[in-house]
Amino acid sequence: QVQLRESGGGLVQAGGSLRLSCAASGRTFSNYAVGWIRQAPGKEREFVATISRAGSSAHYTDSVKGRFTISRDNAENTAYLQMNNLKPEDTAVYYCAADRAFPVVSTILYNYWGQGTQVTVSS
């Protein structure tokens, strides 16, 4: 198994930026694609972005294209989500998840999950 731990969430004003990190341990990190998924209060989990095992390909949900960037550093066993121009509707708990398949946009298909980090964007 691979264990995941998110960090970097917090409170930010609209238009601001945050960088989320996802630190992995356990199995070889580079064997897994990584996804970021979010869940807003009262809503279902929503796919945000995913990156391939080598970091050469990425997919984003339409609402974050041009604002969010997913990346990874396999030497550091860490994936990132750079979030710019944040909007109040980005408020959610953000989870990183891992799976051997890529791309995985269906949240129920991810096998490994972190505990989540809260992102709150004030207007």
Side-chain angles (χ1 to χ4, degrees):
Q1 291 191 357
V2 58
Q3 291 80 43
L4 305 170
R5 188 178 190 91
E6 304 92 337
S7 62
L11 174 64
V12 63
Q13 289 188 332
S17 298
L18 282 174
R19 187 194 197 200
L20 305 184
S21 298
C22 173
S25 61
R27 294 286 180 91
T28 304
F29 181 59
S30 59
N31 287 343
Y32 296 86
V34 174
W36 286 96
I37 293 95
R38 66 187 179 187
Q39 187 167 22
K43 296 188 177 181
E44 294 186 352
R45 288 183 175 179
E46 175 191 22
F47 166 80
V48 176
T50 183
I51 190 166
S52 62
R53 286 171 285 188
S56 55
S57 297
H59 291 265
Y60 299 89
T61 193
D62 286 346
S63 63
V64 308
K65 284 180 181 177
R67 301 189 298 122
F68 290 11
T69 302
I70 190 171
S71 62
R72 65 189 296 162
D73 184 340
N74 286 342
E76 295 294 329
N77 292 336
T78 304
Y80 304 96
L81 185 68
Q82 177 67 44
M83 306 186 294
N84 298 329
N85 190 22
L86 282 160
K87 304 176 180 181
E89 52 264 41
D90 295 318
T91 295
V93 176
Y94 283 71
Y95 300 89
C96 69
D99 198 86
R100 291 185 179 271
F102 175 82
V104 176
V105 299
S106 174
T107 61
I108 64 173
L109 296 180
Y110 281 94
N111 282 311
Y112 306 104
W113 292 79
Q115 83 289 348
T117 186
Q118 177 70 46
V119 171
T120 303
V121 184
S122 63
S123 57

Coordinates of all heavy atoms in Angstrom, one line a residue, residues 64-99:
V64 N -11.2 24.4 -13.1 CA -9.9 24.8 -12.5 C -8.8 25.0 -13.6 O -7.7 25.5 -13.2 CB -9.4 23.8 -11.4 CG1 -10.4 23.6 -10.4 CG2 -8.9 22.5 -12.1
K65 N -9.1 24.7 -14.8 CA -8.1 24.9 -15.9 C -7.7 26.3 -16.0 O -8.5 27.3 -15.9 CB -8.7 24.4 -17.2 CG -8.8 22.9 -17.4 CD -9.4 22.6 -18.7 CE -9.6 21.1 -18.9 NZ -10.2 20.7 -20.2
G66 N -6.4 26.5 -16.1 CA -5.8 27.8 -16.1 C -5.5 28.5 -14.8 O -4.9 29.5 -14.7
R67 N -6.1 27.8 -13.7 CA -5.9 28.4 -12.3 C -5.1 27.4 -11.5 O -4.3 27.9 -10.6 CB -7.2 28.6 -11.7 CG -8.1 29.6 -12.4 CD -9.3 30.0 -11.6 NE -10.2 28.9 -11.3 CZ -10.5 28.5 -10.1 NH1 -10.0 29.1 -9.0 NH2 -11.3 27.5 -9.9
F68 N -5.3 26.1 -11.6 CA -4.6 25.1 -10.8 C -3.6 24.4 -11.7 O -3.8 24.1 -12.9 CB -5.6 24.1 -10.3 CG -6.6 24.6 -9.3 CD1 -6.7 25.9 -9.0 CD2 -7.3 23.7 -8.6 CE1 -7.6 26.4 -8.0 CE2 -8.3 24.1 -7.6 CZ -8.4 25.5 -7.3
T69 N -2.5 24.0 -11.0 CA -1.4 23.2 -11.7 C -1.0 22.0 -10.8 O -0.7 22.3 -9.6 CB -0.2 24.0 -12.0 OG1 -0.6 25.1 -12.8 CG2 0.8 23.2 -12.7
I70 N -1.1 20.8 -11.3 CA -0.7 19.7 -10.6 C 0.7 19.3 -11.0 O 1.1 19.4 -12.2 CB -1.6 18.5 -10.8 CG1 -1.3 17.3 -9.8 CG2 -1.7 18.0 -12.2 CD1 -2.4 16.2 -9.9
S71 N 1.5 18.9 -10.0 CA 2.9 18.5 -10.3 C 3.4 17.4 -9.3 O 2.6 17.1 -8.4 CB 3.9 19.7 -10.3 OG 3.9 20.3 -9.0
R72 N 4.5 16.9 -9.6 CA 5.0 15.9 -8.6 C 6.6 15.9 -8.7 O 7.2 16.2 -9.7 CB 4.5 14.5 -8.9 CG 4.9 13.9 -10.3 CD 4.1 12.6 -10.6 NE 4.4 11.6 -9.6 CZ 3.6 10.5 -9.5 NH1 2.5 10.4 -10.2 NH2 4.0 9.6 -8.6
D73 N 7.2 15.4 -7.6 CA 8.6 15.2 -7.5 C 8.8 13.8 -7.0 O 8.7 13.6 -5.8 CB 9.2 16.3 -6.6 CG 10.7 16.2 -6.5 OD1 11.3 15.1 -6.8 OD2 11.3 17.2 -6.1
N74 N 9.1 12.9 -7.9 CA 9.2 11.5 -7.5 C 10.4 11.2 -6.6 O 10.4 10.3 -5.7 CB 9.2 10.6 -8.7 CG 7.9 10.4 -9.4 OD1 6.8 10.7 -8.7 ND2 7.9 10.0 -10.6
A75 N 11.4 12.1 -6.7 CA 12.6 11.9 -5.8 C 12.3 12.3 -4.4 O 12.9 11.7 -3.5 CB 13.7 12.8 -6.3
E76 N 11.3 13.1 -4.2 CA 10.8 13.6 -2.9 C 9.5 12.9 -2.5 O 9.0 13.2 -1.4 CB 10.6 15.1 -2.9 CG 11.9 15.9 -3.1 CD 12.9 15.7 -1.9 OE1 12.4 15.5 -0.8 OE2 14.1 15.8 -2.2
N77 N 9.0 12.0 -3.3 CA 7.8 11.2 -3.0 C 6.6 12.2 -2.6 O 5.9 12.0 -1.7 CB 8.0 10.3 -1.8 CG 8.9 9.1 -2.2 OD1 9.0 8.8 -3.4 ND2 9.5 8.5 -1.2
T78 N 6.5 13.3 -3.4 CA 5.6 14.3 -3.1 C 4.9 14.8 -4.4 O 5.5 14.9 -5.4 CB 6.2 15.5 -2.4 OG1 6.9 15.0 -1.2 CG2 5.2 16.5 -2.0
A79 N 3.6 15.0 -4.3 CA 2.8 15.7 -5.3 C 2.3 17.0 -4.8 O 2.2 17.2 -3.6 CB 1.7 14.8 -5.8
Y80 N 2.0 17.9 -5.7 CA 1.6 19.2 -5.4 C 0.4 19.6 -6.2 O 0.1 19.2 -7.3 CB 2.7 20.2 -5.7 CG 4.0 19.9 -5.0 CD1 5.0 19.2 -5.7 CD2 4.2 20.3 -3.7 CE1 6.2 18.9 -5.1 CE2 5.4 20.0 -3.0 CZ 6.4 19.3 -3.8 OH 7.6 18.9 -3.1
L81 N -0.4 20.6 -5.6 CA -1.5 21.3 -6.3 C -1.3 22.8 -6.1 O -1.6 23.2 -5.0 CB -2.8 20.8 -5.9 CG -4.0 21.3 -6.7 CD1 -3.9 20.8 -8.2 CD2 -5.3 21.0 -6.1
Q82 N -0.8 23.5 -7.1 CA -0.7 24.9 -7.0 C -2.0 25.5 -7.4 O -2.5 25.3 -8.5 CB 0.4 25.4 -7.9 CG 0.6 26.9 -7.9 CD 1.0 27.5 -6.6 OE1 1.9 27.0 -5.9 NE2 0.4 28.6 -6.1
M83 N -2.6 26.3 -6.5 CA -3.9 26.9 -6.8 C -3.8 28.4 -6.8 O -3.5 29.0 -5.7 CB -4.9 26.4 -5.7 CG -5.0 24.9 -5.5 SD -6.3 24.3 -4.4 CE -5.7 25.0 -2.9
N84 N -4.1 29.0 -7.9 CA -4.0 30.4 -8.1 C -5.4 31.0 -8.3 O -6.3 30.3 -8.8 CB -3.1 30.8 -9.2 CG -1.7 30.4 -8.9 OD1 -1.2 30.3 -7.8 ND2 -0.9 30.0 -10.0
N85 N -5.6 32.3 -8.1 CA -6.8 33.0 -8.4 C -8.0 32.2 -7.8 O -9.0 31.9 -8.4 CB -7.0 33.1 -9.9 CG -8.2 34.0 -10.2 OD1 -8.6 34.8 -9.4 ND2 -8.8 33.9 -11.4
L86 N -7.9 31.9 -6.5 CA -8.9 31.1 -5.8 C -10.2 31.8 -5.7 O -10.2 33.0 -5.6 CB -8.4 30.7 -4.5 CG -7.4 29.5 -4.5 CD1 -6.6 29.5 -3.2 CD2 -8.1 28.2 -4.7
K87 N -11.3 31.0 -5.8 CA -12.6 31.6 -5.7 C -13.4 30.9 -4.5 O -13.0 29.8 -4.1 CB -13.4 31.2 -7.0 CG -12.7 31.7 -8.3 CD -13.4 31.3 -9.5 CE -12.7 31.8 -10.8 NZ -13.5 31.3 -12.0
P88 N -14.4 31.6 -4.0 CA -15.1 31.0 -2.9 C -15.7 29.6 -3.2 O -15.7 28.8 -2.3 CB -16.3 32.0 -2.7 CG -15.7 33.3 -3.1 CD -14.8 33.0 -4.3
E89 N -16.0 29.4 -4.5 CA -16.5 28.0 -4.8 C -15.4 27.0 -4.8 O -15.7 25.8 -5.0 CB -17.2 28.1 -6.2 CG -16.4 28.7 -7.3 CD -16.7 30.1 -7.5 OE1 -16.9 30.9 -6.5 OE2 -16.8 30.5 -8.7
D90 N -14.2 27.3 -4.6 CA -13.1 26.3 -4.4 C -13.0 25.8 -3.0 O -12.3 24.9 -2.7 CB -11.8 26.9 -4.8 CG -11.7 27.3 -6.3 OD1 -12.1 26.5 -7.1 OD2 -11.1 28.4 -6.6
T91 N -13.8 26.4 -2.1 CA -13.8 26.0 -0.7 C -14.2 24.5 -0.6 O -15.3 24.1 -1.1 CB -14.7 26.9 0.1 OG1 -14.2 28.2 0.1 CG2 -14.9 26.4 1.6
A92 N -13.4 23.7 0.0 CA -13.7 22.3 0.2 C -12.5 21.6 1.0 O -11.5 22.3 1.2 CB -13.7 21.6 -1.2
V93 N -12.8 20.4 1.3 CA -11.7 19.6 1.8 C -11.0 18.9 0.6 O -11.7 18.4 -0.3 CB -12.2 18.5 2.7 CG1 -11.0 17.5 3.1 CG2 -12.8 19.1 4.0
Y94 N -9.7 19.1 0.5 CA -9.0 18.6 -0.7 C -8.2 17.3 -0.3 O -7.5 17.3 0.7 CB -8.0 19.6 -1.2 CG -8.7 20.7 -2.0 CD1 -9.5 21.6 -1.4 CD2 -8.5 20.7 -3.4 CE1 -10.1 22.6 -2.1 CE2 -9.1 21.7 -4.1 CZ -9.9 22.6 -3.5 OH -10.6 23.6 -4.3
Y95 N -8.4 16.3 -1.1 CA -7.8 15.0 -0.8 C -6.8 14.7 -1.9 O -7.1 14.9 -3.1 CB -8.8 13.8 -0.8 CG -9.9 14.0 0.3 CD1 -11.1 14.7 0.1 CD2 -9.7 13.4 1.5 CE1 -12.0 14.8 1.0 CE2 -10.7 13.5 2.5 CZ -11.8 14.2 2.3 OH -12.8 14.3 3.2
C96 N -5.7 14.1 -1.6 CA -4.9 13.5 -2.7 C -5.2 12.0 -2.6 O -5.5 11.4 -1.6 CB -3.4 13.8 -2.6 SG -2.6 13.0 -1.2
A97 N -5.1 11.4 -3.8 CA -5.4 9.9 -3.9 C -4.4 9.4 -5.0 O -3.9 10.1 -5.8 CB -6.8 9.7 -4.4
A98 N -4.3 8.1 -4.9 CA -3.3 7.4 -5.8 C -3.9 6.1 -6.4 O -4.7 5.5 -5.8 CB -2.0 7.1 -5.1
D99 N -3.5 5.9 -7.6 CA -3.9 4.6 -8.3 C -2.9 4.3 -9.4 O -2.3 5.2 -9.9 CB -5.3 4.8 -8.9 CG -5.9 3.4 -9.2 OD1 -6.5 2.9 -8.3 OD2 -5.8 3.0 -10.3

